[in-house]
Amino acid sequence: MIKVSAKGLTKQLQELKDIEQKAMPYAAAAALTKTAIGLKQALTAEMGAVFDRPTPFTLRAFEYHAATREKLEARVWLRETVDGSRRSSTQPPSVWLQPQIFGGPRADKGSERQLRKDGLLPAGKYVVPGKGAQLDRFGNIKRGDVTKALAGIKKKSKRYFVMYRDKRPIGIGQRTSRGKGGMSVLLAFVDKPTYSRRLPFHQIAERYVEQRLPGEFEKSLNEMVKRFARSR
C-alpha cells in the first residue's frame, strides 16, 4: 500500500496561496464595483416601476463610484451635479429625489426662489402646474412655459399676470384670448408638499448586495487567480 499525501505538493500549494493572497484585493475591488453597477441598474428599474412616467433625466439619477484595491469600497448614490457641472440652474437629482427616499418636504424649485425674491410667492407656499398648464409626455409643465411666465410677470406683460384672492397671490394666470373665458391658471400656489417614501433605496441596496456580492467575489477571485497564474 502506498499513501499519497500533499507533502509532495508543498511548493505548488505555497505558490497557489501566494497567488490567492496577491489576487484577493484585486478580486474584492472588482466584485464590489460589479455589485455597485448592478445595484445602480436595479434602482433605475425600480424607479421605472414606482414613479409615473419618469423622465430620462430621472432615470439617470444614480451614479456609482468604483472600488480600488487601496480602497475596498464602492458607492452608489444620487448624482450631486447636473451634466458634470455644479453651476447648472437645474437642480441635481440629490436635491429633488431625496424626499422620495427619506420622505418629508421637497426642496425649493428655481421658479419658487425667483417668485419669492420678487415678492410674489407668499411664505410657506409652493408652485404646482395649474389647470391651464400644458404638460409634456412625462406629466410635467414645460420648462420654457415657466420661463416665459416669470419673464412676462417681470416685464409686466399683458399675457401673464398674478392672480389674487382676498389680496393674497394664489397663482400665475395667462391670457389665451380676449374675454373672461380666455384666461387660465398656469401655476398655482399651494401649501408645502410633503412626500411619503416611495423609493425604498436602502432596502433594495441591502437585499441586492447580500444576494449578489458573494457570487461576484467568487467569480472575480477565480478570474484573478488564473490571470496571476498565467503571468508567473
Side-chain angles (χ1 to χ4, degrees):
M1 183 178 73
I2 184 171
K3 292 182 179 179
V4 180
S5 69
K7 290 181 179 180
L9 298 175
T10 302
K11 182 180 178 181
Q12 289 85 345
L13 289 174
Q14 184 59 48
E15 287 180 351
L16 179 59
K17 185 177 180 181
D18 293 342
I19 290 173
E20 286 183 341
Q21 287 180 342
K22 291 180 180 179
M24 196 77 71
Y26 293 94
L32 290 166
T33 300
K34 288 178 181 178
T35 302
I37 293 172
L39 174 58
K40 174 180 173 290
Q41 295 170 344
L43 290 165
T44 300
E46 183 69 13
M47 286 195 294
V50 301
F51 296 152
D52 178 27
R53 292 172 292 169
T55 66
F57 185 65
T58 297
L59 294 176
R60 294 194 302 270
F62 285 100
E63 64 180 359
Y64 77 92
H65 296 272
T68 66
R69 65 189 181 93
E70 292 82 14
K71 187 176 182 181
L72 294 176
E73 176 185 275
R75 293 184 291 121
V76 178
W77 189 233
L78 298 167
R79 286 189 289 117
E80 299 285 349
T81 62
V82 178
D83 297 329
S85 173
R86 292 182 179 272
R87 298 183 179 181
S88 172
S89 59
T90 303
Q91 290 180 325
S94 59
V95 172
W96 47 267
L97 266 177
Q98 287 198 56
Q100 307 292 344
I101 295 173
F102 299 105
R106 64 165 171 77
D108 290 355
K109 297 178 181 178
S111 58
E112 292 165 341
R113 291 194 296 270
Q114 184 61 52
L115 287 167
R116 286 200 181 92
K117 182 180 178 181
D118 295 339
L120 299 175
L121 185 63
K125 294 292 183 179
Y126 290 75
V127 174
V128 298
K131 292 183 178 180
Q134 290 187 350
L135 305 181
D136 60 22
R137 60 194 179 98
F138 302 108
N140 301 317
I141 188 171
K142 296 178 181 178
R143 188 176 179 184
D145 291 347
V146 176
T147 302
K148 289 178 184 178
L150 296 181
I153 292 293
K154 204 164 189 176
K155 295 177 182 179
K156 298 182 179 179
S157 164
K158 292 183 179 180
R159 181 176 180 182
Y160 300 102
F161 57 95
V162 180
M163 305 175 68
Y164 291 88
R165 179 181 296 149
D166 299 328
K167 298 183 179 180
R168 289 181 60 82
I170 60 170
I172 302 295
Q174 62 177 344
R175 292 183 176 87
T176 55
S177 61
R178 293 182 178 181
K180 292 183 179 181
M183 295 185 292
S184 62
V185 182
L186 179 65
L187 300 172
F189 299 165
V190 299
D191 292 333
K192 191 171 188 175
T194 300
Y195 297 91
S196 58
R197 297 179 184 179
R198 298 178 62 194
L199 183 63
F201 171 87
H202 296 93
Q203 292 90 330
I204 293 171
E206 290 174 4
R207 184 171 62 249
Y208 188 90
V209 171
E210 182 180 353
Q211 292 175 348
R212 300 299 181 92
L213 182 57
E216 291 291 356
F217 177 71
E218 186 176 347
K219 287 191 296 184
S220 295
L221 182 59
N222 288 335
E223 291 172 3
M224 290 297 172
V225 167
K226 291 178 182 177
R227 187 180 303 177
F228 274 79
R230 287 196 299 266
S231 65
R232 289 180 70 88

